[in-house]
Amino acid sequence: MTTSTEPKTNPIQDGHSSEHRERKWQDYFTFSTDHKVIGIQYLVTAFFFYFVGGALAEVMRTELATPDPDFVQPEFYNQLMTMHGTIMLFLWIIPAGAAFANYLIPLMIGAEDMAFPRLNAVAFWMIPPGGILLLSSFFNGAPQAGWTSYPPLSIVSGKSGEEIWILSILLLGTSSILGAMNFVTTIFKMRIPDMDIHSMPLFCWSMLATSALILLGTPVLAAALILLSFDLIAGTSFFNPAGGGDPIVYQHMFWFYSHPAVYIMILPFFGVISEVLPVHARKPIFGYRAIAYSSLAISFLGLIVWAHHMFTSGTPGWLRMFFMATTMIIAVPTGIKVFSWCATLWGGKLNLNSALLFGIGFLSSFLIGGLSGVMLAAVPFDIHVHDTYFIVGHFHYVLFGGSVFGLFAGVYHWFPKMSGKMVNETLGRLHFILTFIGFNLTFLPMHQLGLQGMNRRIALYDPQFQTINMICTIGSYILAVSTFPFIINIVWSVFKGKKAPRNPWSALTLEWQTASPPIIENFEEEPVLWAGPYEYGIDTESIDGNESVEEMLAEVGAES
Amino acid sequence: MQSSTLDESKVALNYHQAIETAHHGHPDHRMFGVFLFLISDSMTFLGFFAAFLIYRSIMPAWPPEGTPELELLVPIINTAILVSSSFVMHKGQAALKKDDVSGLQFWFGLTALMGIAFLLGQGYEYFHAEFGLTTNLFTSCFFAVTGFHGLHVTVGVLLILSVLWRSRQEGKYSSTSHFGVEAAEIYWHFVDVIWLVLFVLVYLIN
Ligand code: HEM
Ligand SMILES: [Cu+2]
């Protein structure tokens, strides 16, 4: 009885009391240990590389508008293609996932910062050198062996570019591992006491699954690249058949990381979507546990499907059967998620703003990418379309239609929190419409190209493919244009946007219980967990579900 | 009425928990981080070992015809040194648990010396090997795997030396504050266990 009033003066708060330093813009260029600064650093850096990677893609598409290599030389095309793939994966999508994780995890679980703030800063500051190193290879002959860097091609196609590529990936991989250590520790150890693992936001679950894959997969890629480096520089022949080695071993090691890596690239955005949809549909998430556990299932299954990339590499029949089966089984947890998201939208009071539009765009495009993925899991079909544009179409539907759309949904959703400003909805919707049209125009016809037999990774092709290629190129120009409303919107909003309240979407997760942007150590006092993360409109007493959420929010000072 | 007293006792409970964590300042999660790191690091070795085993199973002869026999004497001595060093090191940690810092310094110093002896042994082995890095696939594997492990031993020795260096500072390590000591020790055991697997794979089963 007597202690009941004391929690008000919570001892945790007493130490570093209310002197809240102001955030200065210079902080973003320093070795800051604040997870919010680091999150923004990741995000802005990732966007920079996105525009670089996108520009390279536009050059490629311009070249591919006509069958002849008239715009760039084939050799340069190979460099563009390798750099585009590598940048998009290792310097755009993976760091962008880490950006959201860094920014959101501590806020969502009510912590002041990540478990290891300094390690966190170290992880971020490996990315700019890694990226600059990679780009510097253009001056000295960029790598040409594709983002997969298969030997023996990678051993014979230009030493310096290839070695730079390896070093850069090792650096970026290390950064990714350090980040993952932080995410797991923070999620397990730093939640406010009231938040058990089943009341934490689904984004945290998806980051657990992602981090597990990073921790288990990335080191194996590192091992492969170290051996490849030996072959390249020291004259060994681990992977060089000419010296008695075996390139297939590289493929196994590479894909042991790189298949899980596709989940490293999509799972964070599964998490983002699970946050965005319920808020803007004003409905509880459908199947919280199903979504949470399916992330873990995907993570586990993701580790045992890698050889579906090697159906044409002389893999024995029984092994192909195994990998075909496991790959198809992954469609089950993935399907569970897609159905849960659809059910979340079903009958909701949809607020079709930019965030939700991108969320729905994610659902529809990812669905196509997922379905073509199941087609590719079937060995006979894969043998038919292996190394054709069908593959290029498929993985852009997952990577662009999935990850990038999810990423934009997250950017629009959390922009008010991160910047303290609202975005312009008209420009945001314009951005969505242009992106959606451009994206489908660019990548849908590629499936047809692949079925007709057009190979990927080529700069010149048979004239019969010209019409469809032209459509793809026009689509890619629309995509290029689509970034302008986005950039204008973001820049304009940061400086001139309407001030954002703490909780513009009446959302229930903890990050909305503090100021926008959050104060330096996140919360004035330890936040109260007064509702599950997705309990929208469940108060049946009230006539209007929304109203009751408003009331609940007002109680904890997170009203909009 | 009843429910409100229940609530109050729950609040009180939370309050005590809050005090508890506040007491240790920022609760220390670094050991957890070290474990995650080691899980990750072990996957690097798993990658190397898996490659090694695949080569072993697909090559017509392993090691390939004409590979000189591996000398076993030095590696066996090295194994003995490394394995016993783990026990030696543990004595250091046990000493610290009794606040005996000079005990810690003695045993850790001894461990560092044993680690250096191991590295010298490996250097001797490399120097006197009748084959080189590029002789054939097996010898390439040999140098890559043992070299990568040797790198880990070197890091381990450096960790121990840095613990020794810091332990000169009064009160840096004690029975209640010993993260650096424990982390170095866990790492050392890890390197030790990896060596045992490596020893079996590279030296014994061919
Ligand atoms: C602006 C939109 C984009 C366009 C127009 C585009 C276009 C292309 C083209 C033309 C290729 C080369 C195909 C070939 O020659 O085989 C390619 C490859 C690739 N793209 Fe994109 N892409 C875009 C966005 C993205 C994004 C957002 C990602 C990932 C997040 C991505 C990941 C990749 C990867 C991994 C490759 C494979 C590179 C390789 O074959 O080694 N792309 N893309
Ligand atoms: Cu795969």
Side-chain angles (χ1 to χ4, degrees):
Chain A
M1 271 311 237
T2 46
T3 50
S4 64
T5 53
E6 282 174 34
K8 293 275 182 290
T9 56
N10 192 328
I12 296 178
Q13 257 71 49
D14 285 351
H16 27 256
S17 55
S18 43
E19 29 100 21
H20 290 307
R21 226 160 45 77
E22 279 291 312
R23 166 78 49 238
K24 297 193 298 289
W25 64 267
Q26 291 95 329
D27 290 354
Y28 291 100
F29 297 89
T30 60
F31 188 84
S32 168
T33 55
D34 182 331
H35 73 99
K36 298 186 291 300
V37 174
I38 296 177
I40 303 284
Q41 287 174 327
Y42 266 106
L43 197 58
V44 172
T45 313
F47 263 105
F48 169 77
F49 285 108
Y50 178 45
F51 297 134
V52 175
L56 301 183
E58 296 302 330
V59 179
M60 281 194 285
R61 277 310 332 163
T62 306
E63 162 53 44
L64 291 171
T66 55
D68 299 320
D70 38 17
F71 187 60
V72 295
Q73 290 306 306
E75 196 167 278
F76 188 55
Y77 181 91
N78 293 347
Q79 303 184 349
L80 290 172
M81 163 208 92
T82 305
M83 294 292 269
H84 162 77
T86 309
I87 288 174
M88 286 298 191
L89 303 182
F90 293 101
L91 289 161
W92 158 237
I93 284 299
I94 295 182
F100 281 100
N102 269 302
Y103 198 92
L104 294 174
I105 289 174
L107 284 167
M108 283 180 162
I109 62 175
E112 276 168 10
D113 207 313
M114 300 287 275
F116 314 116
R118 231 168 337 144
L119 193 68
N120 208 15
V122 171
F124 167 73
W125 281 105
M126 297 172 98
I127 296 201
I132 292 169
L133 184 64
L134 186 69
L135 288 180
S136 75
S137 69
F138 268 126
F139 295 108
N140 199 14
Q144 295 187 48
W147 84 280
T148 48
S149 235
Y150 274 10
L153 180 62
S154 53
I155 308 175
V156 298
S157 62
K159 267 200 175 38
S160 72
E162 188 60 31
E163 189 55 36
I164 289 178
W165 183 88
I166 293 176
L167 291 177
S168 158
I169 300 299
L170 286 177
L171 205 57
L172 297 170
T174 312
S175 153
S176 169
I177 291 176
L178 299 183
M181 285 165 56
N182 236 324
F183 303 148
V184 175
T185 313
T186 309
I187 293 172
F188 274 131
K189 301 281 187 183
M190 312 263 290
R191 295 190 311 270
I192 52 171
D194 288 343
M195 185 185 282
D196 67 20
I197 199 134
H198 288 116
S199 48
M200 90 189 166
L202 285 165
F203 179 74
C204 298
W205 278 97
S206 73
M207 280 318 297
L208 271 186
T210 309
S211 306
L213 290 176
I214 293 176
L215 290 174
L216 297 176
T218 319
V220 179
L221 176 71
L225 295 186
I226 291 170
L227 296 183
L228 187 64
S229 227
F230 271 108
D231 280 5
L232 203 60
I233 297 177
T236 55
S237 2
F238 290 106
F239 306 131
N240 190 353
D246 186 359
I248 302 295
V249 175
Y250 175 86
Q251 294 188 14
H252 278 295
M253 295 173 85
F254 177 84
W255 287 111
F256 183 83
Y257 164 75
S258 291
H259 182 81
V262 310
Y263 294 107
I264 294 172
M265 295 170 214
I266 193 77
L267 276 166
F269 304 104
F270 283 176
V272 165
I273 289 299
S274 306
E275 301 301 328
V276 170
L277 295 187
V279 173
H280 299 285
R282 310 311 301 164
K283 269 187 67 195
I285 190 95
F286 183 92
Y288 174 93
R289 292 202 180 201
I291 294 181
Y293 294 156
S294 62
S295 292
L296 301 186
I298 287 177
S299 182
F300 170 72
L301 289 169
L303 288 169
I304 51 169
V305 300
W306 75 89
H308 61 213
H309 297 273
M310 300 165 59
F311 285 154
T312 58
S313 305
T315 311
W318 61 272
L319 207 57
R320 295 201 294 203
M321 286 298 283
F322 172 81
F323 281 105
M324 170 170 133
T326 50
T327 305
M328 290 191 168
I329 291 174
I330 282 212
V332 175
T334 314
I336 289 177
K337 279 183 192 293
V338 172
F339 281 119
S340 299
W341 290 322
C342 291
T344 304
L345 289 177
W346 186 266
K349 278 195 269 173
L350 304 192
N351 174 12
L352 285 179
N353 52 19
S354 318
L356 188 60
L357 284 176
F358 270 103
I360 296 174
F362 163 95
L363 266 184
S364 53
S365 329
F366 179 75
L367 182 67
I368 296 179
L371 289 178
S372 59
V374 180
M375 292 165 73
L376 290 170
V379 178
F381 183 78
D382 182 71
I383 289 173
H384 183 63
V385 298
H386 180 80
D387 243 339
T388 69
Y389 260 84
F390 192 89
I391 306 292
V392 181
H394 156 70
F395 70 68
H396 281 93
Y397 263 84
V398 212
L399 278 167
F400 197 134
S403 305
V404 179
F405 275 66
L407 195 155
F408 277 124
V411 168
Y412 282 111
H413 182 71
W414 282 292
F415 183 83
K417 182 51 64 182
M418 293 177 174
S419 67
K421 301 290 173 59
M422 302 301 286
V423 287
N424 179 312
E425 276 301 326
T426 317
L427 280 177
R429 286 175 199 173
L430 180 65
H431 174 214
F432 169 74
I433 291 168
L434 287 177
T435 312
F436 196 70
I437 294 175
F439 162 74
N440 283 297
L441 207 56
T442 311
F443 297 110
L444 197 62
M446 288 188 184
H447 296 93
Q448 179 63 19
L449 278 178
L451 291 174
Q452 290 181 7
M454 176 167 161
N455 275 87
R456 67 188 277 210
R457 293 177 168 169
I458 48 168
L460 63 171
Y461 55 84
D462 194 300
Q464 58 159 319
F465 303 126
Q466 164 141 33
T467 320
I468 304 186
N469 266 299
M470 192 50 109
I471 298 175
C472 298
T473 300
I474 293 171
S476 77
Y477 291 159
I478 298 180
L479 273 179
V481 172
S482 78
T483 49
F484 290 110
F486 174 72
I487 298 174
I488 294 169
N489 197 357
I490 294 300
V491 173
W492 186 83
S493 302
V494 164
F495 292 106
K496 292 267 156 60
K498 199 161 80 48
K499 240 183 124 13
R502 7 179 91 205
N503 191 0
W505 317 124
S506 303
L508 298 182
T509 37
L510 292 183
E511 77 270 25
W512 303 102
Q513 275 189 39
T514 181
S516 300
I519 57 173
I520 280 193
E521 284 187 333
N522 292 351
F523 299 96
E524 285 95 356
E525 48 192 78
E526 191 168 275
V528 201
L529 190 71
W530 49 278
Y534 307 107
E535 294 175 355
Y536 299 104
I538 47 169
D539 189 347
T540 44
E541 310 281 78
S542 152
I543 310 159
D544 183 339
N546 222 348
E547 225 170 61
S548 67
V549 169
E550 286 298 332
E551 281 162 20
M552 293 197 284
L553 286 168
E555 265 170 53
V556 294
E559 68 279 7
S560 42
Chain B
M1 193 58 215
Q2 257 191 339
S3 72
S4 83
T5 37
L6 198 72
D7 277 349
E8 264 160 13
S9 62
K10 210 167 123 187
V11 169
L13 196 71
N14 281 345
Y15 170 55
H16 288 302
Q17 280 170 349
I19 292 213
E20 196 118 81
T21 42
H23 226 70
H24 296 283
H26 205 63
D28 195 344
H29 305 308
R30 286 177 295 179
M31 250 356 241
F32 190 78
V34 171
F35 273 111
L36 292 178
F37 175 78
L38 291 183
I39 290 175
S40 200
D41 199 17
S42 66
M43 291 303 291
T44 329
F45 282 103
L46 193 90
F48 284 128
F49 293 159
F52 185 87
L53 284 173
I54 299 176
Y55 288 136
R56 185 174 184 273
S57 68
I58 61 179
M59 291 299 158
W62 191 255
E65 292 299 323
T67 312
E69 277 286 311
L70 284 179
E71 271 304 331
L72 276 182
L73 183 63
V74 176
I76 287 178
I77 298 177
N78 257 350
T79 309
I81 293 179
L82 206 57
V83 171
S84 44
S85 75
S86 259
F87 293 94
V88 171
M89 194 176 194
H90 191 68
K91 286 195 81 89
Q93 203 239 54
L96 185 68
K97 287 275 160 68
K98 295 193 220 99
D99 277 319
D100 171 10
V101 175
S102 55
L104 167 78
Q105 287 167 336
F106 173 77
W107 294 114
F108 267 45
L110 192 56
T111 316
L113 288 180
M114 294 170 91
I116 291 170
F118 176 91
L119 289 173
L120 290 177
Q122 202 166 39
Y124 176 90
E125 193 188 0
Y126 281 9
F127 201 71
H128 287 84
E130 293 161 35
F131 49 79
L133 175 65
T134 54
T135 306
N136 64 32
L137 190 56
F138 177 81
T139 65
S140 303
C141 285
F142 171 84
F143 281 110
V145 176
T146 56
F148 195 64
H149 179 267
L151 207 63
H152 278 71
V153 177
T154 314
V155 171
V157 170
L158 292 177
L159 282 179
I160 297 172
L161 291 180
S162 82
V163 167
L164 286 176
W165 179 259
R166 287 166 172 222
S167 70
R168 299 173 319 141
Q169 196 184 329
E170 188 73 38
K172 173 75 195 172
Y173 296 117
S174 67
S175 57
T176 50
S177 152
H178 42 65
F179 165 72
V181 172
E182 277 191 347
E185 189 187 346
I186 291 284
Y187 183 82
W188 194 255
H189 294 327
F190 167 78
V191 171
D192 205 0
V193 171
I194 296 285
W195 173 259
L196 291 177
V197 180
L198 189 162
F199 185 72
V200 172
L201 282 184
V202 174
Y203 292 96
L204 295 188
I205 57 166
N206 53 56

